[in-house]
């Protein structure tokens, strides 16, 4: 099969365009940097190409290295030095970007380095400190070996080169990488106004510190930029903070070169070195703070999402339980009914053993029906329209609960005492059910003596505490919490209980923004207590 030359061209052309584009950008940024070269025509403390080339490899891959090499060679050959010198420098510059990118990819999460403060510091140390030191050494060696730099000034030249490249990495790579990874600006109008205010304040502050106003004063006011950058970090995130720092750096370099601001010294190179150290440090701190804030926001959002998902699963599960219970109810009723009919009509012919079995079937059927009824009530309480608030007299609620329990109270000889209860904002039907469950249990779990039940309430700050106390068999305090869980039964053999009543009671109380608990000892009776917020002063004792 013959390779299609058209295909190869289509593949190569875009890549070639990227390489040429990168070389041009590198060249222009390099020329800008070298226009601020003071110790040697080829060495400057302001070197944005180091950040550009690192960002290019991290974003586009190692294969863009020829563009960096070409740009570096051209910028140097058009400035000073022989072809050999410039090839040496270009090799150093290319190695710096490749090595820096490899280290960041390997140890600092690559182009995701600005998501976590730990990676930001690794990025600064490895790409800003280590690979730039190697490049500075190769560059100064190339210059000195070919006679374009003085061996005696090796140390100072290397330091200027290293700092220039290092700060270039820290200042220029983050905004490029962050903006390339996320270019969307989804600000609401108030956020856009805030961004304009922030940028204006930054310009005002940087002009005050580094502009004409500071002429002759040279006050150490550089700290004034800190609150502005923190504002950016807290409200806008790493991407916009990195851009703000670039703006600050531009204004600061311009002012410092004009002999203005806190870093202006007699030597422009010293002034720029001091300024670059300051801007680099501020950038590192501000971007780290922005990353911490962004990380926290992400965790909060994740937590919120998990919570939402959980409650959705919960709702689905409850919906399933509701549907299943509902569908089971009808056949179960029929089984119980027909068994009952059979026992009534044909019981004599079938004999006593068969009758006993049928009684068991009816009993179990009724029990299962009670479980289903309970589950339906429980799941209904989870719905969004589960509660209808109104002013409810708790005395009325208690009276209705007693009416509903008429037979159980009569059969057991129970006595219910109450000296008056307040009114609360709540759901009348649910509050009747709550009393019904608690008094019903007090009757079910009675001791030998007839049940004595007292219902009382007292105000505790912003809430009412209600207590339903009995003289029954009591509960071991170890199980005090468990009894409120679904299907938990402590006295299994004691009654026909199914373990849903207290779970329903807990839900009802929680729907009223209250708490429920039990105070009890085995053999010493129980006091079930629950709170309901006392929201209005209209609450009264009737
Ligand atoms: P059920 O009564 O249907 O079993 P509940 O959820 O109402 O279900 O109660 C859960 C368990 O708590 C009961 O099985 C019982 O062991 C215990 N319990 C509830 N109320 C009392 C009480 N007043 N005295 C003693 N034990 C109680």
């Amino acid at each position: 099969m013959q390779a299609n030359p058209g295909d190869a061209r289509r593949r190569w052309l875009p890549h070639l365009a990227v390489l040429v584009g990168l070389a041009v950008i590198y060249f222009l940024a390099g020329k800008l940097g070298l226009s601020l070269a003071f110790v040697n025509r080829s060495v400057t403390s302001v070197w944005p190409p180091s950040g550009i080339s690192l960002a290019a490899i991290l974003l586009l891959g190692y294969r863009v290295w020829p563009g960096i090499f070409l740009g570096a060679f051209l910028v140097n050959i058009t400035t000073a030095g022989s072809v050999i010198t410039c090839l040496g420098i270009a090799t150093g510059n290319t190695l710096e970007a490749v090595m820096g990118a490899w280290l960041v990819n390997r140890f600092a999460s690559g182009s995701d380095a600005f998501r976590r403060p730990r990676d930001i510091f690794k990025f600064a140390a490895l790409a800003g400190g280590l690979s730039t030191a190697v490049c500075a050494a190769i560059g100064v060696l190339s210059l000195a070996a070919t006679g374009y730099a003085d061996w005696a000034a090796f140390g100072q030249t290397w330091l200027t080169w290293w700092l220039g490249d290092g700060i270039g990495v820290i200042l220029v790579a983050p905004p490029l990488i962050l903006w390339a990874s996320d270019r969307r600006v989804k600000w609401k109008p108030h956020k856009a106004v805030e961004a304009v205010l922030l940028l204006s304040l930054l310009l005002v502050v940087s002009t005050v510190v580094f502009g004409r106003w500071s002429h002759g004063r040279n006050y150490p006011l550089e700290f004034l930029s800190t609150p502005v950058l923190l504002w950016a970090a807290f409200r806008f995130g790493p991407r916009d903070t990195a851009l703000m720092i670039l703006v600050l750096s531009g204004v600061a370099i311009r002012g410092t070169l004009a002999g203005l601001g806190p870093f202006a010294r007699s030597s422009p190179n010293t002034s720029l070195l001091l300024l670059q150290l300051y801007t680099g440090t501020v950038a590192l701190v501000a971007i780290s703070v922005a990353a911490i804030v962004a990380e926290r926001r992400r965790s909060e959002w994740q937590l919120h999402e998990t919570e939402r998902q959980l409650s959705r699963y919960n709702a689905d599960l409850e919906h399933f339980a509701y549907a299943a219970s509902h569908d089971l109810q009808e056949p179960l009723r029929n089984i119980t009914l027909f068994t009952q009919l059979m026992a009534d009509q044909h019981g004599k012919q079938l004999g006593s053993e068969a009758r006993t079995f049928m009684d068991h079937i009816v009993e179990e059927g009724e029990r299962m029906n009670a479980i289903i009824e309970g589950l339906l009530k429980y799941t209904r309480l989870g719905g969004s329209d589960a509660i209808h608030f109104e002013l409810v007299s708790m005395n009325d609620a208690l009276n209705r609960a007693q009416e509903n329990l008429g037979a159980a109270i009569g059969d057991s000889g129970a006595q219910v005492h109450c000296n008056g209860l307040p009114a609360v904002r709540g759901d009348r039907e649910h509050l009747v059910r709550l009393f019904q469950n608690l008094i019903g249990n007090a009757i079910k779990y009675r001791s030998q003596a007839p049940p004595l039940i007292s219902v009382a309430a007292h105000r505790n700050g912003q809430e009412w505490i209600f207590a339903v106390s009995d003289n029954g068999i009591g509960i071991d305090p170890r199980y005090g919490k468990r009894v409120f869980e679904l299907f938990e039964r402590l006295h299994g053999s004691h009654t026909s209980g199914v373990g849903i009543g207290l779970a329903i009671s807990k839900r009802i109380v929680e729907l009223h923004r209250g708490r429920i608990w039990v105070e009890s000892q085995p053999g010493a009776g129980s006091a079930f207590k629950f709170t309901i917020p006392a929201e209005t002063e209209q609450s009264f004792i009737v």
Side-chain angles (χ1 to χ4, degrees):
M1 224 170 55
Q2 281 231 316
N4 186 347
D7 274 359
R9 208 176 309 132
R10 260 199 296 281
R11 265 202 314 274
W12 267 100
L13 268 180
H15 182 56
L16 206 66
V18 168
L19 294 186
V20 173
L22 180 57
V24 171
I25 294 171
Y26 195 102
F27 177 81
L28 294 174
K31 278 288 171 200
L32 181 77
L34 288 180
S35 68
L36 308 174
F38 300 105
V39 287
N40 181 302
R41 283 182 67 198
S42 306
V43 185
T44 170
S45 55
V46 180
W47 189 245
S50 59
I52 294 171
S53 54
L54 178 69
I57 295 196
L58 284 174
L59 292 168
L60 305 171
Y62 294 102
R63 63 200 195 115
V64 298
W65 72 265
I68 298 167
F69 188 86
L70 184 66
F73 179 76
L74 290 176
V75 80
N76 281 288
I77 200 76
T78 52
T79 306
S82 67
V83 172
I84 299 288
T85 323
C86 296
L87 284 175
I89 295 176
T91 307
N93 283 339
T94 311
L95 191 67
E96 174 183 84
V98 172
M99 183 178 158
W102 185 83
L103 288 170
V104 172
N105 276 330
R106 178 83 180 72
F107 299 107
S109 311
S111 55
D112 278 338
F114 309 103
R115 286 169 73 87
R116 291 185 306 173
R118 203 174 40 171
D119 286 336
I120 295 177
F121 285 103
K122 281 194 211 159
F123 170 90
L126 298 172
L130 189 61
S131 60
T132 47
V134 174
C135 166
I138 297 176
V140 183
L141 273 175
S142 306
L143 285 171
T146 48
Y148 288 93
D150 195 353
W151 283 108
F154 190 97
Q156 201 209 349
T157 317
W158 177 85
L159 187 69
T160 305
W161 190 311
W162 178 56
L163 280 177
D165 280 26
I167 306 297
V169 164
I170 291 170
L171 289 185
V172 179
L176 287 179
I177 292 171
L178 289 165
W179 277 91
S181 314
D182 179 13
R183 279 184 286 267
R184 289 164 307 162
V185 178
K186 295 179 300 186
W187 291 334
K188 295 207 170 88
H190 72 272
K191 195 82 178 174
V193 171
E194 187 180 342
V196 171
L197 278 178
L198 177 62
L199 186 64
S200 315
L201 186 66
L202 182 78
L203 288 173
V204 169
V205 167
S206 48
T207 318
V208 165
V209 181
F210 297 99
R212 296 228 160 276
W213 179 85
S214 69
H215 183 64
R217 296 187 175 91
N218 290 65
Y219 294 146
L221 288 177
E222 62 276 16
F223 60 85
L224 282 180
S225 60
T226 312
V228 188
L229 292 177
L230 284 182
W231 177 3
F234 273 97
R235 300 276 304 157
F236 289 87
R239 186 190 68 169
D240 304 323
T241 308
L243 193 65
M244 289 282 183
I245 294 162
L246 214 56
V247 173
L248 170 73
S249 169
V251 178
I253 290 175
R254 215 164 151 248
T256 306
L257 280 174
L260 303 168
F263 301 105
R265 298 291 182 279
S266 53
S267 141
N269 196 55
T270 311
S271 314
L272 278 184
L273 279 180
L274 288 173
L275 171 69
Q276 289 290 77
L277 273 176
Y278 159 75
T279 339
T281 315
V282 163
L284 211 58
V285 174
I287 297 177
S288 301
V289 172
I292 292 171
V293 175
E295 202 178 26
R296 216 194 71 183
R297 278 208 191 112
R298 275 198 304 276
S299 323
E300 274 172 3
W301 184 84
Q302 257 160 13
L303 212 71
H304 180 75
E305 270 303 288
T306 317
E307 214 176 277
R308 248 177 33 141
Q309 225 167 37
L310 266 174
S311 59
R312 219 177 41 228
Y313 290 154
N314 222 4
D316 285 352
L317 209 67
E318 291 200 347
H319 182 75
F320 168 76
Y322 181 82
S325 311
H326 195 263
D327 290 351
L328 280 175
Q329 222 173 15
E330 190 59 31
L332 190 68
R333 260 199 217 118
N334 287 339
I335 291 171
T336 318
L337 185 76
F338 287 121
T339 314
Q340 187 73 61
L341 275 175
M342 206 155 105
D344 290 348
Q345 291 176 10
H346 307 287
K348 284 206 181 94
Q349 288 117 290
L350 292 172
S352 67
E353 200 181 18
R355 257 207 85 103
T356 315
F357 288 150
M358 280 177 194
D359 286 347
H360 277 315
I361 295 175
V362 173
E363 227 169 72
E364 288 303 310
E366 279 165 358
R367 194 174 137 68
M368 217 159 150
N369 200 41
I371 294 178
I372 289 173
E373 280 283 333
L375 270 179
L376 285 174
K377 276 180 199 136
Y378 182 78
T379 48
R380 254 184 235 130
L381 284 169
S384 52
D385 57 347
I387 189 157
H388 304 283
F389 279 102
E390 59 183 321
L391 195 65
V392 180
S393 154
M394 290 296 262
N395 273 330
D396 288 352
L398 177 63
N399 288 339
R400 277 197 41 208
Q402 290 187 75
E403 280 165 23
N404 295 346
L405 287 166
I409 293 179
D411 292 350
S412 63
Q415 288 181 34
V416 182
H417 294 286
C418 175
N419 289 331
L421 298 175
V424 296
R425 282 201 75 75
D427 185 301
R428 192 180 303 277
E429 293 311 313
H430 292 337
L431 292 172
V432 170
R433 169 140 301 280
L434 176 62
F435 276 135
Q436 205 171 309
N437 286 352
L438 297 180
I439 294 171
N441 278 350
I443 296 170
K444 262 198 283 182
Y445 302 104
R446 60 179 179 268
S447 50
Q448 305 299 333
L452 274 180
I453 302 162
S454 86
V455 183
H458 72 271
R459 181 87 177 238
N460 177 37
Q462 291 304 303
E463 60 188 15
W464 287 105
I465 299 183
F466 293 85
V468 177
S469 315
D470 62 49
N471 59 343
I473 56 177
I475 293 172
D476 187 328
R478 276 180 300 169
Y479 306 116
K481 272 211 171 90
R482 255 178 51 187
V483 289
F484 294 100
E485 284 167 24
L486 209 52
F487 301 127
E488 281 295 339
R489 296 164 62 213
L490 300 186
H491 312 99
S493 56
H494 198 267
T495 67
S496 57
V498 290
I500 301 180
L502 285 182
I504 291 180
S505 305
K506 184 166 182 253
R507 247 192 191 183
I508 292 175
V509 172
E510 284 172 354
L511 279 173
H512 287 80
R513 282 172 285 119
R515 294 160 285 126
I516 185 166
W517 68 97
V518 60
E519 292 168 10
S520 180
Q521 286 295 334
S526 312
F528 280 86
K529 298 190 173 176
F530 63 90
T531 65
I532 304 247
E535 279 181 359
T536 59
E537 285 311 313
Q538 299 160 341
S539 302
F540 52 92
I541 304 264
V542 193

